[in-house]
Amino acid sequence: MPASDIDAFLKHQNVDEIKEFSKRYKEQIGLPLWVTGTTPNTLTKEKLSLLVDAGLVEIRMGIQTAAESSKKLYKRPHTNQQVDNAVRMVHSHKELSGRYDIILDSPWDTDEDTIETLMFFSKLPTPLQLTMYSMVFYPGTDVYKKAKKEGLIKDDLNDVYRKYFLGISNTHLNKLFILLRDYASVGVGISPMIMFILTHKITKKLYLHKFLRNVIR
């Protein structure tokens, strides 16, 4: 049962109200429950445990980035520590699957920003599900206005409306996200040390990045 507005529910309802919701949901509906949109700073252990008992099987969380400058752009107030805590909270329930969203291909992200996000996710417990989205400048958003002002949008039809949000660019760092996604989904992951080597400037300077990436793949 999808519940796209449950993030607001988690944020604004107290434990007693969630307890009542979970009890009635389990008794009167009894179907698997999916939380399709939440943020790291709305979860608590008690609230999550109640929802798991009610039948929660998957929770989706918009992380988007670990880079501080990008968080400001996306208006994401949570800290990386809050994200880490939330992911580990979800991971503690073995019957619960965690799905986490990441935004790639931002014209304002540096390689260092992208690497910071890669390194952050390489430190999280697995299994976990990662979904990567290529940035789309949706009209009415601040990023659309910023892109328009900076001349990044030449043609709304092709640069916005026809932009495929799952079509991430074919770059080395994006390919590492795909590798990390595939390894993390089966509970293996890629260690921070290996990720450090794969993303290091010297590795790329010596043209070893493609070779090492292919070895891991």
Side-chain angles (χ1 to χ4, degrees):
M1 176 184 175
S4 58
D5 60 345
I6 205 166
D7 185 47
F9 180 78
L10 285 169
K11 184 176 182 180
H12 297 294
Q13 306 303 310
N14 60 41
V15 172
D16 288 337
E17 290 168 321
I18 290 182
K19 186 180 294 184
E20 178 64 19
F21 164 82
S22 299
K23 180 177 181 294
R24 294 179 63 183
Y25 185 91
K26 187 176 182 179
E27 292 175 351
Q28 299 176 21
I29 299 176
L31 295 174
L33 176 65
W34 283 265
V35 174
T36 59
T38 188
T39 53
N41 47 351
T42 58
L43 283 180
T44 67
K45 289 182 178 180
E46 189 171 7
K47 290 178 180 180
L48 185 60
S49 294
L50 288 168
L51 291 169
V52 169
D53 183 63
L56 184 64
V57 295
E58 181 173 298
I59 188 166
R60 182 177 174 185
M61 191 178 297
I63 307 303
Q64 319 310 2
T65 181
E68 292 304 321
S69 58
S70 302
K71 284 185 198 176
K72 292 178 182 177
L73 180 65
Y74 303 147
K75 296 182 178 178
R76 295 287 171 171
H78 49 256
T79 65
N80 286 344
Q81 186 59 57
Q82 285 177 309
V83 175
D84 186 278
N85 292 342
V87 173
R88 293 181 188 279
M89 198 185 306
V90 172
H91 188 261
S92 68
H93 296 274
K94 300 305 178 185
E95 66 274 54
L96 182 58
S97 174
R99 185 173 296 275
Y100 307 97
D101 296 345
I102 305 169
I103 294 178
L104 301 177
D105 299 331
S106 168
W108 302 289
D109 275 358
T110 63
D111 282 352
E112 287 71 23
D113 292 329
T114 306
I115 290 170
E116 185 176 359
T117 303
L118 274 167
M119 291 299 302
F120 175 76
F121 275 96
S122 72
K123 297 173 184 177
L124 296 178
T126 60
L128 53 81
Q129 310 297 321
L130 301 179
T131 306
M132 288 85 70
Y133 296 95
S134 186
M135 173 172 274
V136 177
F137 306 122
Y138 289 107
T141 62
D142 287 345
V143 292
Y144 174 86
K145 296 172 185 175
K146 180 176 174 64
K148 199 76 170 176
K149 182 178 180 181
E150 296 180 8
L152 297 174
I153 300 174
K154 309 296 183 184
D155 175 8
D156 276 60
L157 181 62
N158 291 307
D159 296 342
V160 178
Y161 294 105
R162 289 180 176 172
K163 176 73 184 293
Y164 183 42
F165 60 89
L166 291 177
I168 65 173
S169 300
N170 188 32
T171 65
H172 169 60
L173 294 179
N174 283 0
K175 288 178 179 179
L176 291 183
F177 270 107
I178 294 172
L179 274 181
L180 180 61
R181 176 200 65 190
D182 294 345
Y183 272 79
S185 67
V186 295
V188 179
I190 296 176
S191 74
M193 179 58 71
I194 292 177
M195 189 61 73
F196 175 79
I197 294 170
L198 287 168
T199 58
H200 202 281
K201 290 181 179 179
I202 293 179
T203 304
K204 190 171 184 179
K205 187 175 182 180
L206 296 174
Y207 299 99
L208 293 173
H209 58 297
K210 292 182 180 179
F211 170 75
L212 292 175
R213 192 181 68 226
N214 288 333
V215 167
I216 293 175
R217 184 175 60 190

